[in-house]
Structures are given as structure tokens and as C-alpha cells.
Amino acid sequence: MATTRDYDSSSLPDLLPLYYKRLFPYGPYYKWLNYGGVPKTYFTHREFSFTLKDDIYIRYQSFTDQQELEKEIQKKCPYKIDIGAIFSHKPKDHKTVKAAAFQAQEKELVFDIDMTDYDDVRNCCSDANICKKCWPLMIFAVKILDRALREDFGFDHLLWIYSGRRGIHCWVCDEEARKLSQNARTAVAEYLSIVKGGDSQVRKVILNEGNYHPSISKAIEIIRSSFKNYAVKLQDFLGDDVKLNKVLQLIPDEGFRKDVADALEKMDDVRQNSSARWTAIVALTEAVKTKGEYRKCHSVVEEIMLQYCYPRLDVNVSTGVNHLLKSPFCVHPKTGRVCVTIDPDDIESFDPFAVPTISQLCDELNQSEVGNEDSGKKRTKDYRQTSLKGPVLVFDGFLKKLEATWKGRLIQQSDLKREF
Amino acid sequence: MQFVSRHNKNKSVTVGKAVDRYPHQLQLYTDPPTDNISLREFEDFAVERLKVLKAVETVGVRHVKGSKDYNEALTKEFRTLNVQGIMKSITSRHRQPPDETELLERRKDHISHFILRLAYCRSEELRRWFIAQEVDLFRSRFVLESKDSIYKFLKLNNLDYQPISEQEKKDNLSELQAASPRSSSITDYYKVPFTEVLDLVKSRKVYLRSGFAYVPDNELIVIIISVFRSKLSRALAVTCRSLPQLEEDDRLLPMLSGLSKRYLGQDYTNKKALSGNITVEMIDGLSKTSFPLCMQQLHQAFRQNHHLRHWGRMQYGLFLKGIGLSLDEALRFWRTEFLKKMDPDKFDKSYSYTIRHNYGKEGKRTDYTPYSCIKVITTNTPAVGDHHGCPFRHTDPELLKQRLQSQMMSKDVVDEIISLCKTSHYQLACGRYFDWSHKSDTKFNPNHPNQYFEESQHFLSGDRMSQNDKADTQSSQNNVKIVQSQTFSQKSVSTPPPDQTRDEFDFDEDTDIEMQNTEIPEL
Ligand code: SF4
Ligand SMILES: [Zn+2]
């Protein structure tokens, strides 16, 4: 298994040319962003931005076709590529149109979930670091959001991407999603945000008494199914008194909070661990509920689970039509890892530490070269001969479904033309 | 609409025609008026509607919208206004069939609305205000209508929604009821694309399936309001674009801009007077004496962490600009503090740009406006690591209590403030805080952090309260300056955030460099 140690960020300038020349999956990439040419200007009016070496940042790039895109990327070898909106005019011409007329019109609905936003509930790492103990947070995020976006909002074309370091992105590519107004994007993002409040708010999830909204109930079920494994086993979230106290703070009713604290303190030493403590908290809550004092503790257990596990969105990223987001298949300059596609149906087995780095891919490419020198057969694309193959296959699957949507549209359009 | 300068041009509406044109006392204001009206009438209509909207606003700040208190206060307010016309339709029963007076009122309702569109379409801030008040006005009128009347209104406007079938209802009953707690088994549900009821989606008050929202009949109004709002918002944008033509009419231009200025109060955008009076050294002191709690919080957090995240820098930076910190001083202020934790290079590269940007020295060169309370309260909800927002809105009651107590506030006042917060009267809570910290009894209610600051300065320097505080003392007579005091719960068109991406590929641990703002010349 390749680790980040194999990658040295100073080698990036040497590796990028090869990566962009032979490995970047331009074909599928263009197919995606062109959306079958419905409408024709979809690709040409799309903003790309490049970050070059030494943080030189160029906005408003746009290209007429795949060829030009390839040529420019290979020429500039960007450290990072961002994808922006589809504008009213070609972004590269933006200086020639009046500022007011140059407007962002459409873009995928995007989500950005970043592990740094979980620092108050991670006991293993902080900031940009991630490990196997906290990665399950991203698994929760994918499962919960994927379900809600599909079942509640009816979106079908979700592209999930590992962001190369400490988070994931989701691109919702349905036509309806691309056309959403800023207000609608805000509403979707708010609907999906349950954990709220800044550092001055300790209790960040507040549920109403009574039935929960179906979307919340379903999220709770998803979390419940692996909460013990994650919070108790991996995070040991009640393992010492400091951690315990943090959790107790989330109980709103003072009397009940005290009762729980007392009961926990009285437990034998051998039972002073996360597992027994959690079982006790759940049991105490149930007991009080059945005693009829429902009000005191109606959602304590659920609120704790949600606060510790529910996906935390960066809402600002989702709301703006004009917001740029890092492109899939970029290389993260710090880790060297490629921003690969993730199959949401197989998220459990996705391992961020097994994502190929650029140096690994370049090695693999050289290796396959040595073995294949004399095979004169039709060459498969280079990226399909390396560890990029898996992610590209996931991408293919996504594209196949997406393609069906514009095939239908194209037939419609040509039918219309044939009418006279 | 034609404008005729002859005075008192006689009213040329004939009843027969008008019934066709105004078949209902409620309107969606789809078509602009085609009447000729005199300039005098033009101004009278406008002023009258403004008074009404102002009343709507005042009541909205004080009471929870839709509550009994709210409705009563609104009725009372309209009575005292004693305006003929528009509001009659709220305060009195309608005559069926409508007589001539009633029709004239509908006409006035119609025309006055369109005049204000002209006056209030010119800036984001004005539009936001106008939409919020018009929506509230419409809502309060709508709920007073009888079932029949509503039915008629929907039909007239092609809004006839059909409830879902009993079967579909049965199949989803448990979800439907869980999503809309106030519904029962006899509730009808309307199935509409979720984009038509964003307010309900946002607050998770409807069941969503496959992109459709199942709206219970008691929330039908939300659909209608959303239609009303989006029509109005779109129309204002169109009006704004076509305004230059109108402005050639030099009789109207001064009147229109006069109208919007007079009633929107202090405009912190173009306030230059204070600029340059404040130095970095004064900030610590001022933060204790004259900053509203939101800014105190940001200031302390900044001093403690030597860092503030994006929205914190925006909210605080623009506020400081508003109180008169010049660009050079601002750069000095941010730099000194940031450098305690960051190397100068990085600061210059990533942060000084935003500061200069706020002062209109970079990028689009727009001079950014300090955030009003409503903006602070309703937009950019703080997330983990943030310190911006309004403490009365975004702080746990427990924590807020502690904080206030640590300022040696007595229990009574703390309790009063907390209970105001709990009933969503954040600005009133802030006003109470003002009075407490100034040992005053001004009953002043802030609608802008900068206004809070200025009131405080006035007060401390012994001035009487400036005119602003009169906003609440029902002085809605002509020629009295009426200051905007916006409401917290309006759902407004939010200002698009400046372009930015936030992604994990930062050059450092910092999570929120707006590198995207750094428009480096294209190659
Ligand atoms: S009410 Fe306005 S001034 Fe007062 S704390 Fe909140 S945002 Fe600041
Ligand atoms: Zn970890």
C-alpha cells in the first residue's frame, strides 16, 4: 500500500507534466462537463480556474473543446484546477462584456464536507489530519446525504469525490440541480444542516419533541446502525471524565443531567468505560421516559448521536452559483493524492489512505511501459493501466447514467427539427 | 404608466371597467397600471403606502408574526394611521359587490405598489426592505380572507392547486404527519415541486419525496407567498434594469430617490463623515463602552486568537470601517494582531487584500456596506470556529446568561434579556442591553450595529438621543424622518457572497483563505 511518505511535494513540478499528459482522464472529464452539448454553450461558457506554482491564481479560463482544454492544462500544469459556473458569456471574454451582463447562470449543486469542521467531536486528530478512527464520519456523511439527495430531492446524478486530503465533495449534476437559484440552494443546504451554531453554542443539535421529520429519522437510523462501533469503539467518546463531561453538557434539563452524572459516578470502576457509560445513559433515558417524564429527556440520545456524527456542511460552498470548487482528478499538492471518485454504494470499503498518489501512478505507468513495449495492439488509455482504473470505472458508471438523460434530449430535439 | 403633470386630473375610473380590472381585493400586482395620474396623486399614493409598509415593519419587529398580538397591533397601527384607501381593505369588511369607493381603493393599492417599485428597485438593500414589507403586508391581508374569498383569489390568478388523492395520502400518512406536526387525518395535502416552498423546505416543515413537497393545507399560504415573493423579486429586477429610461423624466427622479431615502433612514454606505477619526489605540476602549455585544464578542475573540474567520472579518471589518477606522489604520490593526500568529508574508498575501477590498480598493472596487442587524441575524449562520453573528440570536441561552452575569448584570435584567431572546426578539434584547450598559432609559432599539455605536457615542457625550430612537414612537406623520428598523424573521433576498472558494487546499493550516479573491492578472 502506498503511503503519503512515498510522495514528496517537491517532486510535484516534475510529475505533473506526465500526469497531465498521460493520466488525467480528459475523455470522460469532457464528456461530463459538456453534458452532451445540451445546450451547445454549456462547455464553452464554463469557468475554470488554475492555481499555478507559487500560488499564482488565474480565474476566468474557458475552452472551446476538449482539445483546447487538454492543451492548456498540459501547457500550464496547474497545481490545482477549480470548476466554476456556466456564465452568460465565455468567461475568457469577460473583460469585453459589461460587468453587469456577465453573469453566472448555472452550476452543479455542490457540497463540501471537511473534517476540520468536526474538531470539537473528534478525539483522535484535529485540523487537516485524518485517521482511520475519524474517517467513519465521512462514511456517515456520504450515506446520509446520498440518501436525502436521492430520496427526498429526487436527484439521480451524484458524483462523489475524495478531496485528496481531509474531506469529500459531492456534485449534484441533474439538470434541475444545475438550474437551482441561490435561494433554492440555500434551502437545500439548510434542510440538510442539523448541527448548528458556532463556538458559543455547546448544544448544536436541538430536536423538537414528538415525531422527527422523516429525513432526520432516517439519518438517525443510519447513525444508530454503527454508532457503537464508531463512537464507543473507535473514538472512545466517553473514555474519561473530560470527554464524559462534554457529552453531559448536551443534556438540556439540569435535573436530568445531574441524575445521569450521579448514576454514572456510582458505577463500579470496571464499568467506567465508554461502552458501559453509553449503555447506562441510554437506559436512564428510557427509564425516565417510561416514567412519563418524557419532556425531560425526549431527544437526549438522538441529539448526542447527531451532534457527534451528522454531516457538517460548509453551507457557503453550496449556496453560491458562482462558487468555485476543486475539480475531480486534481492532485492534492500536499498529499499528492488524486481527487478520485467514490462509489457511494461501496463507501464502507473506500480507504482514503489507499488512494493513489501521483508518484505511485507515474511509477506504475513506467512499469507497464517496460512490460508492454512490444505489444503492438491498440493501446488502452494509460490511466486504465494504473490504479486510477478503479476510480475511472466509477466515473464511467456515473457518466453512463448521465448520458441517458441527454440522449433523450437530443432525440427530442432532432424530432422537433424533423417535423417540417 | 403615464404621468401627467396637470394637477388633480380627475379620476377617470368607471366602475364597470374597474370591476374587471380589480375583481378581488387581493392582488398579485402582475400587470402595471395603465392609467394617467397626476404628479400630486403620484406622490400622495406613494407616501401613503410607505406609511403602511412602515407600520408593517414596526409591528413585525415587536411581535411574532402571525400571532394574535401581531394581528391586533397591526390593526391598531393602521387605524391610527388613518390612511384612506389601501388599508381600508384590511380594517373594514368588504362590500359585495364592490362599490365605487372600494374599487378606488383597489386602484390605489395597485398604483401605489407600482410607484414604490420604482423607488425601491435601485439597490439590493432597498429591494430587500421593500420585498420584506410587501410580503408581510400581503400575508396579513391574506389570512383575514374567508375560505371562499381565498378560493376565488386562487382561481383568478390561475393558482388552483389540487390536493393529493386519499390513496396517496394513506400510503404516506406517517411521514406526512411526522413532517407537519400540526396536521391531522383530515388535512389535505398539496404536492408541489420543492422549489415552490423553499421556506418550508428550509425549516423542514414539509415531507419531501422525489423532489416534491407535500404541503398541508394550513401551510397553503406559504405557496402563495412564495409565488408572490418570487414574482415581486423578479419584477423588481426588471424594473431596475429599465429604470434608466424613466430617469430621463426629471420630474420623477428626485421624487423617487427622495422617497426611498426619506424612509429608509441612515445609509451607512456613503457615510464618510466619520472616516478617519478613530485610531487603533482607541478600539480597545471603545469596544468596552460603545460596541454592541456582537462586536465586543468579535473583538475579544480576535484579541484572544489573533485570528478571525471569513465572516467574522467581514462583519467586524466593515463595522470598524463604519465607525471611522481609515484603511491605513485598519491594515495596521489587522496586521498587528494577525502577525502574532502568522508570518508577514502570508498575511500580506492572503489577508491584506480582503481588507483593502472592503474599503473598495481592490476587485470590483465597490465600497462594501457594514452589515445591518437583520443581515447579521439572518444570514451566514456561524459554524464551528466562528465568532460572528448576533449573540442574542446565536448563543446558547445558558452561555449568554453566563456572559451577561460576568459583566455584573443583575439577575432581573439577565432574565428579561434571555426571555426576549427566547421569543425571538433579538433586537429588543440588544436594546435592553444598551440601556443597561449605559444606565439609561432610552428604549432605543438597534437595527444596525453602527447605529448602536453612534447612539452610544451621542449618549456618552451628553447629547440627547438622536432622532433615530423616535422610530418606534408612532410618529408616522408627514415629514418626520422614519428610520428603518428591520425585522429579524424576514426571509430576504440575500446578498450574494463575494466570489470565493473554500477548499482544503490551503497553503497553510488556515481553513478559510479567500484566495479566490486575489484576482491576479491573467496570463
Ligand atoms: S441586535 Fe444588532 S447590534 Fe445588537 S448584537 Fe445583535 S447584531 Fe449586534
Ligand atoms: Zn482521526
Side-chain angles (χ1 to χ4, degrees):
Chain A
M1 190 179 86
T3 63
T4 344
R5 264 170 280 132
D6 297 332
Y7 164 77
D8 168 10
S9 61
S10 64
S11 63
L12 192 63
D14 300 331
L15 297 174
L16 276 175
L18 183 61
Y19 179 76
Y20 284 131
K21 183 116 198 111
R22 309 263 311 263
L23 292 165
F24 191 92
Y26 294 103
Y29 187 76
Y30 174 78
K31 193 187 246 178
W32 166 37
L33 293 171
N34 189 41
Y35 289 97
V38 192
K40 281 223 165 52
T41 52
Y42 226 74
F43 183 77
T44 55
H45 288 197
R46 167 83 75 166
E47 175 185 0
F48 292 85
S49 76
F50 291 166
T51 308
L52 309 184
K53 198 166 171 278
D54 300 324
D55 307 343
I56 294 176
Y57 183 65
I58 346 170
R59 271 199 77 166
Y60 301 121
Q61 305 283 91
S62 61
F63 312 103
T64 45
D65 51 21
Q66 181 182 335
Q67 248 186 347
E68 199 189 350
L69 168 84
E70 262 179 57
K71 224 179 73 204
E72 277 305 303
I73 291 184
Q74 288 171 0
K75 195 167 109 202
K76 299 220 168 78
C77 278
Y79 275 39
K80 179 182 170 210
I81 302 171
D82 280 300
I83 300 180
I86 292 118
F87 281 84
S88 50
H89 302 78
K90 287 182 186 153
K92 64 179 167 203
D93 297 342
H94 80 284
K95 289 253 165 75
T96 64
V97 271
K98 277 216 192 96
F102 181 67
Q103 275 173 347
Q105 293 181 317
E106 295 186 12
K107 203 192 66 194
E108 291 78 7
L109 170 64
V110 293
F111 296 95
D112 177 10
I113 303 124
D114 191 317
M115 204 69 105
T116 45
D117 291 330
Y118 292 83
D119 277 2
D120 61 323
V121 289
R122 288 196 292 168
N123 297 313
C124 46
C125 341
S126 61
D127 297 329
N129 300 316
I130 60 165
C131 71
K132 296 211 156 145
K133 286 183 179 166
C134 50
W135 182 255
L137 286 170
M138 293 294 132
I139 301 181
F140 284 130
V142 172
K143 283 186 180 170
I144 290 171
L145 296 178
D146 196 74
R147 187 213 65 77
L149 289 167
R150 287 179 205 274
E151 291 178 13
D152 300 358
F153 290 97
F155 297 131
D156 290 322
H157 305 284
L158 311 189
L159 182 59
W160 287 96
I161 302 291
Y162 172 54
S163 67
R165 193 180 196 183
R166 61 182 182 210
I168 45 180
H169 297 160
C170 176
W171 299 74
V172 186
C173 303
D174 296 60
E175 188 178 348
E176 296 80 20
R178 284 179 270 137
K179 288 186 170 10
L180 288 178
S181 68
Q182 174 160 327
N183 281 341
R185 285 165 203 256
T186 311
V188 177
E190 290 280 322
Y191 176 92
L192 296 172
S193 302
I194 294 180
V195 184
K196 293 205 161 156
D199 284 1
S200 0
Q201 194 147 340
V202 182
R203 193 173 152 227
K204 294 190 167 64
V205 178
I206 298 173
L207 295 177
N208 291 328
E209 200 179 326
N211 290 330
Y212 305 136
H213 187 279
S215 165
I216 297 187
S217 306
K218 287 173 191 159
I220 292 175
E221 284 329 303
I222 292 175
I223 295 172
R224 207 193 295 278
S225 67
S226 31
F227 187 74
K228 278 208 181 125
N229 188 43
Y230 165 68
V232 174
K233 254 216 206 118
L234 294 175
Q235 288 285 330
D236 192 19
F237 84 129
L238 298 167
D240 58 40
D241 289 352
V242 179
K243 290 180 190 169
L244 173 63
N245 242 324
K246 244 169 80 184
V247 174
L248 290 179
Q249 290 304 310
L250 303 181
I251 301 176
D253 185 276
E254 254 170 76
F256 183 56
R257 191 192 313 146
K258 203 166 163 296
D259 292 349
V260 175
D262 290 348
L264 290 181
E265 218 182 302
K266 284 197 204 105
M267 293 195 321
D268 308 337
D269 278 358
V270 284
R271 295 184 59 219
Q272 296 295 0
N273 56 50
S274 284
S275 171
R277 281 174 169 174
W278 179 241
T279 313
I281 293 177
V282 175
L284 283 167
T285 315
E286 282 311 313
V288 176
K289 266 195 217 164
T290 42
K291 255 201 316 196
E293 295 177 272
Y294 190 72
R295 299 222 88 155
K296 271 187 168 179
C297 60
H298 63 85
S299 300
V300 166
V301 169
E302 289 78 9
E303 284 178 356
I304 295 174
M305 293 198 296
L306 291 170
Q307 175 142 349
Y308 274 77
C309 305
Y310 190 86
R312 301 179 170 200
L313 301 177
D314 183 343
V315 175
N316 295 326
V317 174
S318 304
T319 51
V321 181
N322 194 9
H323 209 111
L324 297 126
L325 188 68
K326 182 159 57 160
S327 162
F329 295 104
C330 279
V331 176
H332 193 292
K334 279 260 165 76
T335 61
R337 294 198 196 282
V338 179
C339 305
V340 292
T341 43
I342 300 176
D343 179 0
D345 296 329
D346 197 20
I347 176 70
E348 302 271 2
S349 57
F350 180 83
D351 178 0
F353 303 101
V355 169
T357 61
I358 184 170
S359 36
Q360 178 193 344
L361 289 173
C362 291
D363 277 354
E364 288 175 3
L365 193 64
N366 292 334
Q367 302 268 304
S368 78
E369 216 100 288
V370 175
N372 277 346
E373 246 161 348
D374 48 3
S375 69
K377 279 174 263 153
K378 191 171 168 276
R379 276 181 38 182
T380 35
K381 288 279 181 209
D382 289 329
Y383 51 80
R384 298 194 192 268
Q385 301 182 22
T386 64
S387 315
L388 261 193
K389 187 174 164 201
V392 173
L393 277 177
V394 176
F395 197 31
D396 286 344
F398 158 84
L399 281 173
K400 204 166 162 217
K401 278 203 263 158
L402 191 63
E403 229 175 320
T405 62
W406 65 69
K407 286 229 166 103
R409 290 290 297 279
L410 288 173
I411 291 171
Q412 252 177 30
Q413 281 181 3
S414 91
D415 274 355
L416 283 179
K417 271 187 209 140
R418 238 180 290 148
E419 256 172 32
F420 43 177
Chain B
M1 191 163 22
Q2 293 287 312
F3 305 104
V4 181
S5 55
R6 252 173 298 139
H7 284 266
N8 286 331
K9 185 170 186 298
N10 47 0
K11 294 157 185 153
S12 54
V13 212
T14 58
V15 176
K17 244 173 67 195
V19 178
D20 294 342
R21 195 177 322 155
Y22 302 119
H24 201 279
Q25 60 267 27
L26 277 183
Q27 314 186 23
L28 284 182
Y29 312 104
T30 315
D31 303 313
T34 50
D35 311 29
N36 288 331
I37 78 164
S38 71
L39 265 185
R40 157 87 69 79
E41 220 181 355
F42 184 89
E43 188 168 17
D44 288 351
F45 279 19
V47 169
E48 194 169 303
R49 194 175 192 91
L50 269 178
K51 284 189 198 165
V52 170
L53 295 186
K54 174 62 203 160
V56 169
E57 182 192 35
T58 312
V59 173
V61 174
R62 296 200 182 154
H63 302 280
V64 178
K65 279 175 201 163
S67 68
K68 204 167 138 253
D69 289 352
Y70 175 82
N71 293 333
E72 279 169 8
L74 207 55
T75 319
K76 209 175 120 219
E77 194 81 1
F78 288 148
R79 271 213 200 97
T80 28
L81 273 181
N82 196 21
V83 284
Q84 293 297 306
I86 312 165
M87 284 352 289
K88 265 273 197 63
S89 52
I90 292 192
T91 49
S92 62
R93 290 283 104 226
H94 306 289
R95 287 161 291 266
Q96 275 313 340
D99 61 15
E100 181 167 356
T101 341
E102 167 95 26
L103 288 171
L104 282 173
E105 283 160 9
R106 293 181 188 174
R107 171 177 175 267
K108 189 191 263 184
D109 179 16
H110 182 218
I111 295 180
S112 64
H113 170 89
F114 273 90
I115 298 176
L116 289 200
R117 276 195 190 177
L118 293 176
Y120 280 79
C121 68
R122 307 131 162 276
S123 77
E124 164 97 34
E125 194 79 11
L126 290 171
R127 286 197 291 271
R128 185 198 287 259
W129 184 85
F130 181 66
I131 294 175
Q133 311 319 326
E134 282 285 343
V135 164
D136 283 351
L137 175 63
F138 180 83
R139 184 190 292 113
S140 57
R141 293 171 70 177
F142 188 91
V143 296
L144 291 178
E145 295 294 321
S146 67
K147 257 203 153 125
D148 284 351
S149 167
I150 289 182
Y151 179 71
K152 192 175 155 215
F153 173 78
L154 296 181
K155 265 234 122 96
L156 282 167
N157 290 285
N158 294 324
L159 295 171
D160 32 8
Y161 295 100
Q162 295 300 321
I164 57 169
S165 69
E166 281 302 314
Q167 190 54 47
E168 191 170 3
K169 191 161 114 185
K170 238 203 234 137
D171 294 344
N172 298 290
L173 199 61
S174 67
E175 279 89 357
L176 288 170
Q177 294 192 345
S180 317
R182 284 195 1 240
S183 59
S184 71
S185 55
I186 55 158
T187 306
D188 275 333
Y189 293 88
Y190 298 88
K191 185 172 164 184
V192 296
F194 81 90
T195 43
E196 285 183 25
V197 283
L198 294 176
D199 277 357
L200 295 176
V201 171
K202 203 178 204 170
S203 49
R204 257 178 261 110
K205 284 204 184 113
V206 277
Y207 174 49
L208 285 188
R209 213 183 69 187
S210 304
F212 287 96
Y214 290 75
V215 183
D217 50 18
N218 57 347
E219 304 274 19
L220 184 66
I221 175 149
V222 180
I223 309 184
I224 314 296
I225 291 283
S226 128
V227 172
F228 182 85
R229 183 198 304 277
S230 66
K231 272 183 193 270
L232 180 53
S233 154
R234 234 174 295 143
L236 284 176
V238 172
T239 315
C240 180
R241 256 176 268 138
S242 53
L243 205 59
Q245 289 168 17
L246 183 79
E247 291 192 346
E248 282 164 20
D249 191 332
D250 53 7
R251 294 163 305 169
L252 292 180
L253 181 60
M255 195 193 295
L256 287 175
S257 61
L259 277 172
S260 56
K261 251 192 229 116
R262 184 156 127 220
Y263 286 88
L264 202 68
Q266 184 84 277
D267 179 0
Y268 288 92
T269 328
N270 302 316
K271 250 195 125 220
K272 294 272 152 48
L274 283 171
S275 194
N277 289 339
I278 306 278
T279 63
V280 174
E281 287 67 31
M282 295 158 74
I283 297 179
D284 278 328
L286 284 172
S287 78
K288 295 202 182 87
T289 55
S290 293
F291 280 17
L293 207 54
C294 52
M295 300 302 166
Q296 288 180 33
Q297 175 171 312
L298 281 164
H299 184 73
Q300 282 165 11
F302 186 45
R303 287 285 194 224
Q304 245 163 48
N305 309 330
H306 320 297
H307 186 264
L308 279 182
R309 306 221 303 178
H310 174 75
W311 292 114
R313 294 200 301 277
M314 292 296 282
Q315 183 180 330
Y316 193 37
L318 290 169
F319 168 79
L320 290 176
K321 172 178 136 184
I323 69 170
L325 195 71
S326 68
L327 174 58
D328 287 344
E329 285 295 293
L331 279 169
R332 189 156 76 86
F333 174 67
W334 294 98
R335 201 164 196 278
T336 328
E337 200 63 45
F338 264 107
L339 291 201
K340 293 184 180 158
K341 237 181 70 177
M342 183 183 290
D343 63 78
D345 235 29
K346 179 171 179 205
F347 176 84
D348 291 339
K349 201 179 319 170
S350 320
Y351 293 88
S352 78
Y353 178 88
T354 338
I355 297 157
R356 296 166 53 75
H357 193 257
N358 282 349
Y359 280 78
K361 299 287 184 238
E362 298 279 358
K364 293 194 197 115
R365 298 192 177 257
T366 359
D367 227 348
Y368 285 94
T369 325
Y371 295 169
S372 61
C373 292
I374 174 107
K375 181 153 180 167
V376 172
I377 291 171
T378 57
T379 60
N380 312 322
T381 317
V384 179
D386 282 334
H387 298 275
H388 69 269
C390 169
F392 300 105
R393 169 70 182 84
H394 299 118
T395 301
D396 267 344
E398 281 299 310
L399 207 66
L400 181 61
K401 214 176 190 170
Q402 277 174 31
R403 259 191 220 157
L404 294 174
Q405 277 162 352
S406 75
Q407 297 196 2
M408 312 313 279
M409 185 184 273
S410 72
K411 188 169 176 305
D412 293 357
V413 189
V414 175
D415 288 348
E416 196 186 333
I417 288 185
I418 297 289
S419 90
L420 283 169
C421 295
K422 283 189 175 154
T423 47
S424 314
H425 293 119
Y426 315 116
Q427 287 155 283
L428 295 189
C430 184
R432 192 67 197 82
Y433 178 83
F434 181 96
D435 274 350
W436 171 79
S437 59
H438 291 77
K439 301 193 179 42
S440 67
D441 186 24
T442 59
K443 298 270 178 312
F444 152 69
N445 289 323
N447 54 54
H448 202 294
N450 287 81
Q451 176 205 15
Y452 183 111
F453 176 81
E454 281 166 31
E455 287 306 327
S456 166
Q457 290 286 293
H458 278 299
F459 185 86
L460 296 173
S461 62
D463 283 13
R464 274 216 18 80
M465 288 293 282
S466 69
Q467 73 278 46
N468 288 352
D469 66 318
K470 298 290 188 306
D472 293 313
T473 56
Q474 290 174 14
S475 49
S476 328
Q477 300 308 317
N478 252 338
N479 301 325
V480 174
K481 178 167 176 165
I482 298 177
V483 166
Q484 174 195 19
S485 51
Q486 289 176 328
T487 58
F488 55 86
S489 57
Q490 79 181 43
K491 215 220 95 219
S492 41
V493 238
S494 53
T495 330
D499 304 345
Q500 46 167 320
T501 57
R502 187 199 140 202
D503 190 32
E504 60 181 70
F505 162 33
D506 292 334
F507 308 100
D508 225 318
E509 284 66 49
D510 199 348
T511 55
D512 63 343
I513 299 175
E514 304 90 70
M515 43 179 296
Q516 259 54 9
N517 275 339
T518 7
E519 287 174 350
I520 287 156
E522 296 175 34
L523 302 180

